[in-house]
Amino acid sequence: AQADQLDSKYRASAIKGHPPDTGSNREVIIKKWLSLHLPNTIKNHIGGKIIDSDGNLSKQTDIIVYSNFYPKFGANPKTYFFSEGVVGAIQVKSKLTSKELDSALDNIDSIKKCNKKFTRVPLSNPTKQIFAGIFAFEMDYKSTKELIDTVNKKLENNNRCMPDFICVNRKAYIAFNYGQWFNTDKRRKNPKEKLKHKSILDLLSCL
């Protein structure tokens, strides 16, 4: 199954004593997986920043999903993408801890503040905003509810933007829409059904 394959590659990617290399390897895992399933008009790129016509610039982003119909400029690791061509952005984490969650939320906030303005008829079917979220292979949180409560607490009383989704492989997929969190665990017809493959498929269905 897809989730099991990702988990197996994640375990094999661990390089003791070299955290940056380990992180890069795990971004490659997600990039390759997305490449197998995205349509030909959409590509994904490891590393880069998003820029808009108002001069807003995002922080460095782990994976950027973008339309083939729009240009990009620069080269690794400093590739820049025009916001109008960006479909989605993903922050990849080995293990979602409180510190890593804070880092990802700050990054997503900078992405969400990039505006998308279409001054002429677009060449494809554009989205109105950049779909941005977090993918993690593991998490420190005991339950999806604890994760949701933590995110809400971290973003309470500040101007940071909510992520569109948080996906933890084989464990959880939560999506923020219409001002509230939707938890896939609650949509199960059989409460005993395992959703270890559901989370990654939910992520793909949104891109």
Side-chain angles (χ1 to χ4, degrees):
Q2 299 289 331
D4 287 336
Q5 291 176 16
L6 287 175
D7 187 66
S8 177
K9 291 177 181 178
Y10 157 67
R11 302 292 175 187
S13 71
I15 300 176
K16 294 182 179 180
H18 297 83
D21 291 339
T22 301
S24 297
N25 287 342
R26 289 167 187 176
E27 290 167 14
V28 170
I29 292 171
I30 299 303
K31 180 186 186 301
K32 288 182 177 180
W33 184 84
L34 286 173
S35 296
L36 292 173
H37 300 284
L38 291 172
N40 292 333
T41 55
I42 302 293
K43 288 188 177 181
N44 68 105
H45 185 92
I46 294 178
K49 295 183 179 182
I50 301 164
I51 189 170
D52 70 9
S53 57
D54 294 323
N56 295 312
L57 183 67
S58 77
K59 294 184 177 182
Q60 185 75 7
T61 304
D62 291 337
I63 294 181
I64 295 177
V65 183
Y66 65 97
S67 169
N68 273 344
F69 294 105
Y70 291 86
K72 63 182 187 295
F73 60 98
N76 288 337
K78 296 182 179 179
T79 305
Y80 294 87
F81 297 82
F82 295 107
S83 58
E84 285 77 12
V86 177
V87 178
I90 304 172
Q91 288 303 109
V92 180
K93 301 296 181 184
S94 298
K95 188 170 187 178
L96 196 59
T97 62
S98 179
K99 181 180 178 180
E100 293 296 339
L101 180 58
D102 266 325
S103 172
L105 292 174
D106 281 340
N107 185 287
I108 290 169
D109 181 64
S110 74
I111 294 168
K112 288 290 187 181
K113 287 176 179 174
C114 289
N115 300 310
K116 301 182 80 169
K117 298 179 181 179
F118 298 96
T119 57
R120 59 184 68 183
V121 178
L123 297 174
S124 62
N125 184 24
T127 55
K128 293 182 179 179
Q129 66 171 201
I130 298 171
F131 182 75
I134 304 165
F135 179 90
F137 289 93
E138 298 181 88
M139 67 177 180
D140 253 356
Y141 304 97
K142 296 179 181 179
S143 67
T144 305
K145 182 181 182 303
E146 183 183 357
L147 174 59
I148 292 174
D149 290 343
T150 302
V151 173
N152 287 337
K153 186 175 181 179
K154 286 180 180 293
L155 297 181
E156 188 179 18
N157 299 323
N158 64 47
N159 295 321
R160 289 193 295 181
C161 299
M162 278 284 188
D164 292 300
F165 70 91
I166 300 177
C167 177
V168 182
N169 193 38
R170 308 205 313 169
K171 289 183 173 64
Y173 180 89
I174 56 175
F176 190 78
N177 202 4
Y178 299 107
Q180 61 180 315
W181 285 105
F182 290 87
N183 179 1
T184 55
D185 287 2
K186 294 181 179 179
R187 296 208 306 264
R188 285 179 289 176
K189 293 180 180 179
N190 180 0
K192 295 183 180 180
E193 178 188 0
K194 292 184 178 180
L195 281 184
K196 65 178 182 178
H197 308 306
K198 180 70 173 174
S199 56
I200 189 65
L201 296 178
D202 275 329
L203 168 59
L204 182 64
S205 69
C206 292
L207 290 174

